[in-house]
Amino acid sequence: KPLFLAVVLTLALALLAVGVLRIFSGGAADGDRTAARARLENAASSLDAYEIDAVLKPDENALVVTQTLRFTNTTGSTLNTIALRFYAGAYASDETSPAATTELFDASYGDTFSAGNVTLAGAWWNDKVTTAAFSDDAQTVLTVKADSAPGETGVLLLRFTLSIPECAHYFGVTDGTYRFLNVLPVLAMYENGAWNTDEFSS
């Protein structure tokens, strides 16, 4: 009887160990994980992808950025422009800055408004120089010349510098702390046959 109990206990421990190993390994064999990874990579292949190379220059209160966007035209329409939302541009003026409202001004800026600016150095579409310009007064919509047929994938490269305002808000620096929330350009939503370029507000 003791031998029988020992065998049962050994088997129970072995089964428990196998179960624990399966939990920590995700409960899947290597082949299953490889197949799952392949499915995810295949599903992601048509998604837009951003690569960002940014250098902070504290002495100049500036962020120098090279940004690449791999864009696949899934709109079903032939496009000749791409629109990006570039919300950092709004901080250039106290008329458009989301931190310069009556409720936020003192907490964000103190006594004096500090401008943040976007300086665009250049734009390239599929390795060729292209035109890019802000299409709104608040400089939050960057329109780039980029011909794209339905289903076609292209690469947009932007080089720009952000001048960082003295501002305790989403974009700015205070007491040596830098904030860059929602300040790099992202593809605008495409809906109802057009890029969504709604006004940016606080």
Side-chain angles (χ1 to χ4, degrees), residues 53-58 62-66:
D53 181 6
V55 178
L56 179 64
K57 297 190 173 183
L63 188 73
V64 180
V65 182
T66 298

Side-chain angles (χ1 to χ4, degrees), residues 8-49:
V8 170
L9 183 58
T10 302
L11 285 172
L13 288 173
L15 289 171
L16 178 62
V18 169
V20 169
L21 285 173
R22 283 184 63 80
I23 289 171
F24 280 101
S25 66
D30 287 342
D32 293 339
R33 283 195 297 274
T34 301
R37 183 181 297 114
R39 286 195 301 274
L40 282 173
E41 289 174 352
N42 184 57
S45 64
S46 64
L47 298 178
D48 301 323

Side-chain angles (χ1 to χ4, degrees), residues 58-127:
D59 294 342
E60 303 172 28
N61 269 0
L63 188 73
V64 180
V65 182
T66 298
Q67 178 170 317
T68 302
L69 164 63
R70 188 193 70 203
F71 167 70
T72 300
N73 183 355
T74 59
T75 66
S77 303
T78 297
L79 303 175
N80 53 29
T81 60
I82 290 176
L84 296 106
R85 300 314 306 257
F86 209 150
Y87 297 119
Y91 289 80
S93 164
D94 58 0
E95 303 260 329
T96 58
S97 169
T101 62
T102 304
E103 299 84 2
L104 296 175
F105 191 98
D106 290 344
S108 298
Y109 294 105
D111 296 330
T112 308
F113 176 76
S114 172
N117 295 304
V118 176
T119 304
L120 192 64
W124 292 259
W125 175 247
N126 291 333
D127 297 324

Side-chain angles (χ1 to χ4, degrees), residues 54-57 61-65 88 162-165 169-173 177-184:
V55 178
L56 179 64
K57 297 190 173 183
N61 269 0
L63 188 73
V64 180
V65 182
L162 299 179
S163 297
I164 305 164
H169 200 249
Y170 294 146
F171 177 35
V173 56
T177 299
Y178 293 85
R179 299 174 187 83
F180 300 109
L181 179 62
N182 205 26
V183 297
L184 297 178

